[in-house]
Each structure stands twice: as structure tokens, then as C-alpha cells.
Amino acid sequence: MADATRVACLEALAHHLRYSDQLVLSGIDPDFELAACRTAGRAGLLTDVRADDTARWIDFAKVRQKGGNFRATLGRNTRQTVSRAMRLYAERGPIAFRTMEVTSEALAAFNLLAELHQARWGRKGAFANPSFRRFHEELISLGVPAGTVRISRTLAGEQTIGILYNFVHDGRVYNYQSGFLYERDGRLKPGLVSHVLAIEDSIGRGECGYDFLAGFSGHKSHLANAEHPMKWIAIGRDGPERRIEAKLRGAKRVLGTIATNMREAVA
């Protein structure tokens, strides 16, 4: 969405906010945050930062500047880990990375992704809510033919070891959800292998980047070569209760940062 359009939408929403309403903007970039704060200020609204995070991603321009071989840009330990895992998987048969081009195949892969995801996360899993699952089935049915949804399988022989559910926009791939076959052998890395193959596939398509979005996971820091900040903010009518809540939330973030720094210093 263009910046002017985003600002126009913000101004329209801000104008219609009642006293009890809040407009929550999730995972926005610094430019959009600045525009949102200015819009809120003009409307006499209070902006409260709820959370912040860093999204890690792979800038393919950097990979191409170094010859285009993504694995060659990784750290030595990561390269060795990927190579070892792929050798072990290759013992089961050829390793294949397949993008589901047909909607029925994409939905079948999505169902398996949900099973693998729930097997790992249980009640905390994203697919515990049936409505959530139905929403994504409809989204996949619309997005796969349009090329905005990309679901892929990673196979070792005939066995699926990983499924990635990604979005594609403006030449950039956004990793949304995944399901992996985890096994007792810790040398097997279904997530790491699946992402490496997906990144190489995306580079081969001539795309510009692969974004892991928010949240921390080991493979993100090992594979990424760039990052960008993201924030979650709430916009609402000004008042003493909201100001107190904002100050308490800010103090909590500061204390959390101090605690993290202390743990890192001790480690």
C-alpha cells in the first residue's frame, strides 16, 4: 500500500475513533510509525507503543553481490550443519523442494502443515481454532492462483520433512507459517533445510528478498543478512487512564531490556 493511501486510511479511522476505541497497528515499520504518530497528533489522539521487535531477512542483493551462492554466504558452522543434515536426509532418497502450483495440492500440503504444527505445539498451536484454519483455507484458494500465496514441501525420498506457508508481494517472500517433521536425531534440521531450499528457489526466481517477519528463532539469525525494526502501537483518545497504562508499559519494557542485558553480561 502506498504511503499516501496508508495515511489517508489512518486519518479516516482516527476521525471515527470513539473514546473507548483503540486502533492497533501491528508490526509496522519506522516510516509508517512516524506517519501514524503524526496523524494521531493532528487528531488529538494518544499513541502508545505496545511492543517492538526486529524482523530478520535475507537481502538477495547482498547475496548476488557475492556471486549468488546463498550457502556460500553463511557462517562456517551453519554451512556445516546444513550440509550434514542434507547428507543424512539424502540417505532416504533424493531431496526435493516442490512448490504447490495447484490449489488442491496446496490445500493438502496445508493440512499436513497444520498436523505437524499442532503435533509440536499442541493447544498453543496456531491451528487449534477451527475458524482460523477455515480462514486460511479460503485465503490459500484465492492466493495460490494469484501467486500471492506460496506453499512448498521439502521431501527426503517420499517423506515430507517440511512445509512452508509463505506470502509473496512485490518480489519479496514473507515466511508466515511452517510445519516440520522433528525427529530424535538432533542432526536432522527440517526447518533449516526447508528455509535454505526456499531461499535458493526464491533467488532463482529473480526475487529480491526473503523475510522471516517478527519473532526469534535460531535459524533466523543464522540465515539472515539484514534486519529491520517493527513496532506494535495503539492509537486512542487521550485520557489519564491511557497515559498511566502507557507509562507502566514503557517502564516494563525498560526493565525487560535491563534484565536481558544483565543475563547476557553474566553468560
Side-chain angles (χ1 to χ4, degrees), residues 130-149:
S131 298
F132 177 86
R133 188 162 177 167
R134 287 194 297 271
F135 168 81
H136 282 284
E137 288 172 344
E138 183 174 353
L139 184 62
I140 290 166
S141 297
L142 296 171
V144 167
T148 55
V149 170

Side-chain angles (χ1 to χ4, degrees), residues 69-72 74-90 95 161 186-200 219 222-223:
N69 184 339
F70 172 65
R71 292 187 216 183
L74 300 176
R76 180 182 177 184
N77 290 340
T78 303
R79 290 200 308 272
Q80 291 177 342
T81 299
V82 172
S83 296
R84 181 177 60 191
M86 295 193 76
R87 284 197 304 271
L88 292 171
Y89 281 128
I95 297 173
I161 61 170
R187 298 174 300 171
L188 298 172
K189 305 290 184 181
L192 190 62
V193 169
S194 295
H195 282 298
V196 166
L197 295 177
I199 291 163
E200 292 175 340
H219 66 266
H222 295 316
L223 299 180

Side-chain angles (χ1 to χ4, degrees), residues 56-77:
R56 293 173 173 81
W57 66 291
I58 298 96
D59 183 349
F60 292 166
K62 294 182 179 181
V63 177
R64 293 182 176 112
Q65 287 171 1
K66 296 182 178 180
N69 184 339
F70 172 65
R71 292 187 216 183
T73 68
L74 300 176
R76 180 182 177 184
N77 290 340

Side-chain angles (χ1 to χ4, degrees), residues 43-44 49 61 66 71 81 106 146 154-155 157 165 184 191 193 222 225 259 266:
V49 177
K66 296 182 178 180
R71 292 187 216 183
T81 299
T154 302
L155 299 98
Y165 177 4
R184 290 186 176 181
V193 169
H222 295 316
N225 64 12
V266 172

Side-chain angles (χ1 to χ4, degrees), residues 1 8 17 22 28 55 78 85 107 117 127 129 145 164 176 178 214 227:
M1 186 185 296
L17 279 178
Q22 279 192 334
I28 60 176
T78 303
L107 288 171
H117 182 87
F127 300 97
N129 185 340
L164 297 176
Y176 171 69
S178 59
E227 60 183 38

